[in-house]
Amino acid sequence: MSVLVCFHAHPDDEVFTTGGVMRMAADAGHRVVLVTATDGALGEVPDGLLAEGETLVERRRAELQTSADALGVHRVVLLGHPDSGMVGTPDNTRADAFCNVDVEVAAAQLAQVLEQEQADVLTVYDPHGNYGHPDHVQVHAVGVRAAELAGVHAVYEATTDRDQMRELVTANPTWVEEGASTPDVETFGLPAEEITTRVDVTTVMAAKRAAMAAHATQVGDFGPFLAMAPEQLAAAFGSEVFRRRGPRPEHLETALPLQP
């Protein structure tokens, strides 16, 4: 049995880029640990969704656990740092925001988890954080340093296939809300030529969809995809891609290196 640790920025981030590999790892008998850096307090929430007296942090924590259950996660760890907000917002400047936390301090927190779990594989984000969110960029820096501290050598940058995303956005104009600007796909993820690992997760798409549905407060992120037919959802999210840190493998990998 191997131990897979997936490090993410906010509750809900676990679904898009690693939901499938977590479910597949758990189904294969491996231990799966999900670590979330921030409390997600600055996420948007539909009016009237929260119960009286309920905070967004409380709701997102519960949503995260429901998602983790759907994905077969054995342990959820919340580092508890304040959300930094979207890039360019005033919250980016708060001293306690995760994007401004000393990398060594946060890395020591994560390294402790990696050591406790005797992690074999760690996933982080690519250096751009997939799309430039300050908390995602910080996850990369903190995760890479934590792996060094804990001696974890198999580190994979969860990312997006930029070339595939370009094709999908072009073919699905309804993904962009009416009146909204078209997302700059050229800032998403990495080009296909830089991807070292491509995992087919279509066999566990039901679990991945259930994890999406668990995050009811984030309907703005997941709503368009939950409305998709199963075959469309599989086309968009049935492959999870990574760039392995260190020497590039000779051939494209089709799985993370988890040993029986």
Side-chain angles (χ1 to χ4, degrees):
M1 178 189 77
S2 294
V3 179
L4 169 64
V5 177
C6 294
F7 183 37
H8 286 281
H10 313 97
D12 83 345
D13 288 330
E14 75 284 351
V15 181
F16 281 124
T17 55
T18 64
V21 296
M22 288 195 288
R23 181 70 260 181
M24 291 175 69
D27 289 346
H30 301 296
R31 181 167 172 81
V32 179
V33 178
L34 170 60
V35 183
T36 301
T38 79
D39 54 16
L42 299 180
E44 296 181 357
V45 57
D47 291 340
L49 182 63
L50 299 180
E52 185 176 354
E54 182 183 33
T55 67
L56 180 57
V57 169
E58 291 170 337
R59 173 59 72 90
R60 295 196 74 178
R61 186 181 298 129
E63 291 176 345
L64 179 65
Q65 186 61 59
T66 301
S67 171
D69 290 343
L71 298 174
V73 174
H74 298 92
R75 179 188 178 193
V76 176
V77 180
L78 306 173
L79 298 187
H81 294 286
D83 192 339
S84 304
M86 296 298 288
V87 65
T89 61
D91 287 291
N92 297 170
T93 63
R94 290 168 45 202
D96 62 343
F98 179 59
C99 67
N100 297 320
V101 170
D102 186 281
V103 169
E104 292 296 322
V105 171
Q109 287 182 287
L110 178 59
Q112 183 177 38
V113 177
L114 298 176
E115 291 167 352
Q116 288 173 348
E117 294 289 347
Q118 297 183 316
D120 297 290
V121 179
L122 171 67
T123 72
V124 295
Y125 300 138
D126 64 50
H128 184 55
N130 283 330
Y131 64 100
H133 191 296
D135 285 332
H136 288 235
V137 174
Q138 183 78 322
V139 159
H140 171 83
V142 169
V144 168
R145 179 57 180 147
E148 293 174 347
L149 293 173
V152 178
H153 303 294
V155 180
Y156 284 75
E157 298 172 354
T159 188
T160 302
D161 182 334
R162 183 181 299 165
D163 299 309
Q164 180 191 39
M165 179 61 72
R166 185 188 301 113
E167 294 174 1
L168 288 170
V169 169
T170 300
N172 295 275
T174 57
W175 287 6
V176 180
E177 295 181 10
E178 185 175 352
S181 59
T182 302
D184 182 5
V185 177
E186 300 309 317
T187 65
F188 274 61
L190 298 171
E193 64 185 14
E194 294 189 31
I195 290 168
T196 65
T197 311
R198 189 181 298 272
V199 184
D200 182 349
V201 300
T202 53
T203 59
V204 294
M205 283 306 298
K208 193 165 178 175
R209 189 188 188 286
M212 290 183 184
H215 292 286
T217 60
Q218 304 308 298
V219 67
D221 290 336
F222 292 114
F225 307 120
L226 289 171
M228 285 181 174
E231 61 273 14
Q232 290 179 304
L233 194 66
F237 300 108
S239 178
E240 293 177 358
V241 298
F242 305 84
R243 181 173 65 179
R244 181 168 185 164
R245 292 186 58 79
R248 186 180 179 89
E250 290 186 17
H251 305 287
L252 183 70
E253 297 178 320
T254 58
L256 299 182
L258 301 170
Q259 303 301 319

